[in-house]
Amino acid sequence: MFFSKKSNNSNFNQNTFFKNKTFFVYGLGLTGLSVVNYFKSKKINHFIWDDNPSIRKKFNINKNIVKLIPQILECSDWIIISPGIDIDRAIFKKQLSENLAKIITDIDLFYILYPKIKSIVVTGSNGKSTTCKAIEHIFKNKFDVKLGGNIGKPALSLKIKKNTIAVLEASSYHLYYSKFISPDDAILLNISNDHLDWHKTKNNYLNSKFKIFINQKKNN
């Protein structure tokens, strides 16, 4: 059923989730920057890092902090990793691997910030963007529809209103690290042998895709 009312019972709410917490943003592409901008606007304590030296230079990340990153990662409450970052190829792969339980994504933060948001999440090997645009077209004349995620704007850059319907495209990269994605409607279009160089095995790839269903309630 489309847009059933979400349960008021939630594992987290934004007041308790962000209070007195330290966050580490790993990766400063569009997605990572959307997280940093939100943290700055709310004065949330956070650290930033990118494996790319030119990006570190752009953000004036001091070279001397490199030796402190392992300790900062260990002490941070949550690590927000940008989609596409392969931990096995990251500079601080050891520390990231040891703290997998603390790794989440920007879409996780989106659902923590907007626990009652009406949303549709679309994933699949092919056709995600086309399907998201079709859904947006269907609803836009009657609803305030915002399209984001892996298409267009990052989730945290969307201007959400009380009655907004969020249509989010989720790649397997996004879903691999996600823990709190909870859409009203989750759409898995198809599965093919894709991104196996990143996911290593087809089972890892499949498990990433199926994460869109894990936190759904029976009426979703």
Side-chain angles (χ1 to χ4, degrees):
M1 181 182 295
F2 268 1
F3 309 135
S4 302
K5 185 176 180 182
K6 282 188 178 293
S7 169
N8 289 325
N9 296 322
S10 178
N11 291 329
F12 295 99
N13 64 66
Q14 57 180 295
N15 294 324
T16 58
F17 188 83
F18 294 102
K19 187 176 182 180
N20 300 322
K21 298 291 195 309
T22 298
F23 295 82
F24 193 108
V25 182
Y26 202 113
L28 299 173
L30 286 178
T31 300
L33 287 181
S34 71
V35 177
V36 171
N37 290 336
Y38 176 79
F39 286 165
K40 286 182 176 179
S41 70
K42 299 299 180 180
K43 298 181 179 179
I44 295 172
N45 189 32
H46 66 281
F47 295 90
I48 62 174
W49 176 262
D50 197 286
D51 285 349
N52 189 320
S54 61
I55 294 179
R56 294 202 297 273
K57 183 177 180 180
K58 178 181 177 180
F59 288 92
N60 298 314
I61 299 176
N62 195 308
K63 293 181 180 179
N64 295 328
I65 200 173
V66 175
K67 60 185 179 182
L68 299 176
I69 294 298
Q71 183 179 352
I72 297 173
L73 282 168
E74 184 65 36
C75 294
S76 296
D77 295 285
W78 293 98
I79 301 167
I80 297 88
I81 197 164
S82 291
I85 289 182
D86 184 348
I87 283 181
D88 291 336
R89 299 176 183 176
I91 291 176
F92 297 101
K93 62 181 181 180
K94 180 178 183 293
Q95 290 76 25
L96 291 172
S97 297
E98 291 173 349
N99 289 278
L100 284 176
K102 300 193 298 187
I103 295 179
I104 57 175
T105 70
D106 65 305
I107 295 184
D108 288 320
L109 292 180
F110 179 83
Y111 277 98
I112 291 165
L113 287 169
Y114 306 107
K116 297 181 180 180
I117 187 72
K118 295 177 180 178
S119 65
I120 303 171
V121 173
V122 179
T123 194
S125 298
N126 300 287
K128 296 185 292 297
S129 296
T130 301
T131 302
C132 285
K133 289 176 182 177
I135 293 170
E136 179 192 31
H137 179 76
I138 290 168
F139 285 111
K140 69 180 181 180
N141 289 331
K142 291 187 177 181
F143 300 96
D144 177 55
V145 183
K146 294 294 188 297
L147 180 62
N150 200 49
I151 181 175
K153 294 182 178 180
L156 291 184
S157 295
L158 300 178
K159 295 182 179 180
I160 301 300
K161 301 176 183 178
K162 184 178 181 180
N163 296 317
T164 293
I165 296 172
V167 180
L168 302 176
E169 178 183 326
S171 70
S172 59
Y173 301 144
H174 255 125
L175 295 170
Y176 185 80
Y177 298 114
S178 294
K179 294 175 173 64
F180 306 123
I181 290 179
S182 180
D184 293 271
D185 296 279
I187 302 174
L188 174 58
L189 297 172
N190 46 57
I191 292 287
S192 61
N193 290 328
D194 201 7
H195 305 306
L196 297 188
D197 58 328
W198 195 95
H199 288 284
K200 308 302 187 294
T201 69
K202 189 170 184 178
N203 277 341
N204 288 342
Y205 180 59
L206 289 171
N207 289 335
S208 295
K209 293 295 189 184
F210 288 134
K211 277 191 174 183
I212 58 172
F213 306 116
I214 288 177
N215 294 322
Q216 286 191 302
K217 306 296 189 296
K218 64 180 181 180
N219 60 342
N220 294 149

